[in-house]
Amino acid sequence: MNQNRVNSADIAGFEAATYAKVTWRLMPILFLCYVAAYLDRVNVGFAKLQMLSDLNFSETVYGLGAGVFFIGYFLFEIPSNIILHKVGARIWIARIMITWGLISGAMIFVNSATMFYLMRFLLGVAEAGFFPGVILYLTYWYPAERRGKITAMFMTAVAISGVVGGPVSGWVMHSMPGIYGLTGWQWMFIIEALPSLVLGVVVIFYLQNHIVDAKWLSADEKQLLAKNVQTEAATKQEMSFKQVMTHPKIWHMAFIYFSFIMGLYGISFWLPTIIKATGVKDTLDIGLLTAIPYAAAAVGMVLIGRSADKNRERRWHVVIPALLGCAGLLLSTIYGHNTLLAMAALTLATIGILTTLPLFWSLPTAFLGGAAAAAGIALINSLGNLAGFVSPYLVGWLKDLTHSTDSGMYLLAASLVIGAVLTLMVPKEMVNK
C-alpha cells in the first residue's frame, strides 16, 4: 500500500513537472504574440484621441471603422483555422503575425473614412485565425482539466496589452508629433507594429506543431502527454463540416460568446474616451490610467481560472464575472464625472469582462475534438467576434445621438447579463471536467 502511494506520488510529480516544462516552453511565445496581436487590434482606440480631429471623422465613422475589422475577421476565420489544422501552427501563426504587422504599420497612410474602413477590414483578414488557432493548438497539448488555467494565462495577454499599450500609446502620442512630419497617432501605429513582425519570425524557428515534434521532450514525457490528450479525445464528438455549421450546441456557444465580446470591445475601444470624459485631458495621463483596470484584470483572470480547474466547475466561474462586469459598467455611468470612482467602476468592469473570456473557452473545448474542434472553435469565435463590429458601432452611434457614452454602457451591461443567462442554460455535466 505504501509502495503504491509512493508510486502514485512519483507519477503525479512526473506529470506535474512535464506540464510545467510544456507551459514554460509554449506559453511565453504564445503570450507575447497575443499581446502584440491585441495591441495592434485595439490601439485605434488611442489613435482616436487625435485621429478624429486630424481627419475630421465623426464618432460614428470611428465606431464603424473600429468594428469593420471584424467583418474581415469573420469571413476568413474558419478557412484560416482549417488551414492551420492542416499545415501546422508554426507556419500559419507566423504568416498571420507578419501580415498583420505590415498592415497595422500601414495604418499611417489613412487619410479618409474609406481608407480607414479598408485598412481595418484588411487587418481583420490578416489576423483571422490567430486566436482560435491558439485555442485549438492548446488542445493538442493539454487535457480539459488543465486548460482553464492555461487559457486564462494565455488570455491575460489582453490585459497585459492594456497595461503596456496604454502608457506606451499615450507617451508616443504625447511626445512624438511632428517628428519627420508624422503625427503622434502615425508614430504609434509604426512603433506598435514592430513587435508583431519580430515575433512572426521567431515563431518560425521556435514553435512545434505537435507533441511528437518536440525535441525538447523525452520519450516518456511525450508518451504521457499523448496518452492524456488521446484519452480525452475519445470522449469528444467528431462531426462533419456540415454538422459543425448546424449543431445547436455550437450556435448556443456562439451566442454566449457574442454577448461577452460586446462587453470586451466596449471596454477595449472606448476606455480611453470614457476616462477622458471624467475630466482627464492629457493623452499620457489617459494612457497611464488605462493600465490600472487591465493590471487588475490580469490578476483576476489567473486566480479565477485556477479556481475553475481546481473545483472542476465552469459555468458559475463564467457567470459571476459576467455579472460583476455588468455592475462595473453601470457604476461607471453613475460616477462618470468623478475620476476616482469611475476608475474603480471601470476596473471592476474590466476584471469581470476579461475573466469571462478564457473560462468561456473551457465550455466548447470540453465536447469538440479533432477537425470538429478546428471548425467549431473558429465558427464560435468568428460569430462571437461579430460583436466586435456591432459593439463599437452602436456605442459610437449612441454617443453621437445622445452626446454621452452612458446609453452605450447600458447596452453592454445588458449584453453581459444575457451571456450569463445563456451560460447557465448549458448542462453542467457537459462542461464540468
Side-chain angles (χ1 to χ4, degrees):
M1 183 69 71
N2 289 338
Q3 184 62 43
N4 288 339
R5 259 197 233 102
V6 171
N7 289 341
S8 297
D10 288 345
I11 293 169
F14 175 69
E15 184 169 359
T18 300
Y19 278 108
K21 189 174 181 180
V22 171
T23 299
W24 279 107
R25 174 75 185 195
L26 299 183
M27 294 314 296
I29 185 66
L30 295 175
F31 177 86
L32 289 173
C33 287
Y34 199 31
V35 169
Y38 200 79
L39 184 59
D40 285 345
R41 183 189 299 185
V42 303
N43 58 9
V44 70
F46 265 97
K48 170 185 183 288
L49 300 177
Q50 295 177 352
M51 204 177 189
L52 265 62
S53 58
D54 286 355
L55 301 179
N56 199 27
F57 288 172
S58 69
E59 298 283 352
T60 304
V61 167
Y62 164 73
L64 181 58
V68 79
F69 168 96
F70 295 96
I71 302 300
Y73 196 83
F74 170 78
L75 293 174
F76 289 87
E77 184 91 322
I78 295 174
S80 180
N81 223 37
I82 292 172
I83 292 171
L84 182 145
H85 185 60
K86 290 182 176 179
V87 307
R90 183 174 65 88
I91 294 297
W92 200 243
I93 288 177
R95 191 284 304 164
I96 289 171
M97 297 200 62
I98 291 169
T99 53
W100 95 54
L102 292 171
I103 294 170
S104 183
M107 285 289 292
I108 67 169
F109 298 112
V110 168
N111 57 13
S112 67
T114 301
M115 184 80 167
F116 183 44
Y117 300 151
L118 176 63
M119 294 304 294
R120 288 290 296 174
F121 175 82
L122 291 176
L123 189 64
V125 172
E127 194 186 325
F130 174 78
F131 177 80
V134 173
I135 296 299
L136 175 65
Y137 182 64
L138 293 177
T139 68
Y140 299 162
W141 297 83
Y142 296 94
E145 67 268 17
R146 294 181 180 272
R147 279 201 305 273
K149 182 175 72 174
I150 290 300
T151 306
M153 189 183 300
F154 169 64
M155 291 192 69
T156 54
V158 174
I160 297 304
S161 73
V163 173
V164 175
V168 170
S169 298
W171 177 82
V172 170
M173 292 174 64
H174 174 86
S175 305
M176 298 188 70
I179 297 177
Y180 293 110
L182 299 177
T183 64
W185 60 268
Q186 287 174 317
W187 274 115
M188 185 200 69
F189 282 125
I190 292 171
I191 290 170
E192 294 180 2
L194 295 176
S196 297
L197 297 172
V198 172
L199 286 166
V201 175
V202 171
V203 163
I204 294 173
F205 297 99
Y206 188 81
L207 212 60
Q208 286 79 40
N209 290 329
H210 299 285
I211 293 168
V212 70
D213 302 319
K215 295 180 180 178
W216 42 273
L217 290 171
S218 69
D220 288 343
E221 289 168 338
K222 290 180 181 180
Q223 184 178 13
L224 169 71
L225 295 170
K227 176 177 174 291
N228 288 347
V229 170
Q230 288 164 6
T231 299
E232 186 197 13
T235 69
K236 293 182 176 181
Q237 295 174 249
E238 282 289 351
M239 307 179 207
S240 68
F241 184 78
K242 181 179 179 181
Q243 288 174 318
V244 168
M245 295 298 107
T246 58
H247 201 289
K249 288 181 185 176
I250 292 175
W251 282 86
H252 186 176
M253 294 293 165
F255 284 126
I256 295 173
Y257 198 51
F258 183 96
S259 301
F260 294 151
I261 292 293
M262 284 285 289
L264 172 65
Y265 288 113
I267 287 289
S268 299
F269 288 127
W270 291 94
L271 184 59
T273 300
I274 296 168
I275 293 174
K276 185 177 181 179
T278 69
V280 182
K281 301 302 181 187
D282 187 88
T283 54
L284 179 57
D285 293 336
I286 293 171
L288 293 171
L289 286 173
T290 59
I292 296 171
Y294 286 114
V299 176
M301 291 168 78
V302 172
L303 293 179
I304 297 173
R306 186 176 297 165
S307 172
D309 280 352
K310 180 180 179 181
N311 293 291
R312 297 202 175 188
E313 197 290 321
R314 307 297 172 185
R315 298 185 310 160
W316 285 103
H317 281 81
V318 174
V319 168
I320 292 174
L323 297 179
L324 289 175
C326 170
L329 290 176
L330 294 176
L331 289 171
S332 75
T333 65
I334 295 171
Y335 300 110
H337 298 291
N338 182 311
T339 301
L340 180 62
L341 294 177
M343 285 303 303
L346 290 169
T347 298
L348 177 64
T350 307
I351 293 171
I353 291 167
L354 265 64
T355 299
T356 61
L357 302 177
L359 272 300
F360 162 79
W361 283 108
S362 64
L363 308 182
T365 56
F367 68 88
L368 288 171
I377 291 169
L379 178 63
I380 293 164
N381 193 61
S382 60
L383 290 171
N385 269 289
L386 284 177
F389 172 76
V390 175
S391 178
Y393 177 72
L394 286 180
V395 174
W397 177 74
L398 287 169
K399 188 172 188 295
D400 275 340
L401 187 68
T402 64
H403 305 291
S404 169
T405 56
D406 287 1
S407 54
M409 295 306 103
Y410 298 147
L411 171 69
L412 302 181
S415 181
L416 292 171
V417 173
I418 292 170
V421 172
L422 289 173
T423 300
L424 287 177
M425 292 171 63
V426 177
K428 65 179 181 180
E429 297 81 10
M430 186 175 85
V431 295
N432 288 349
K433 297 181 181 181

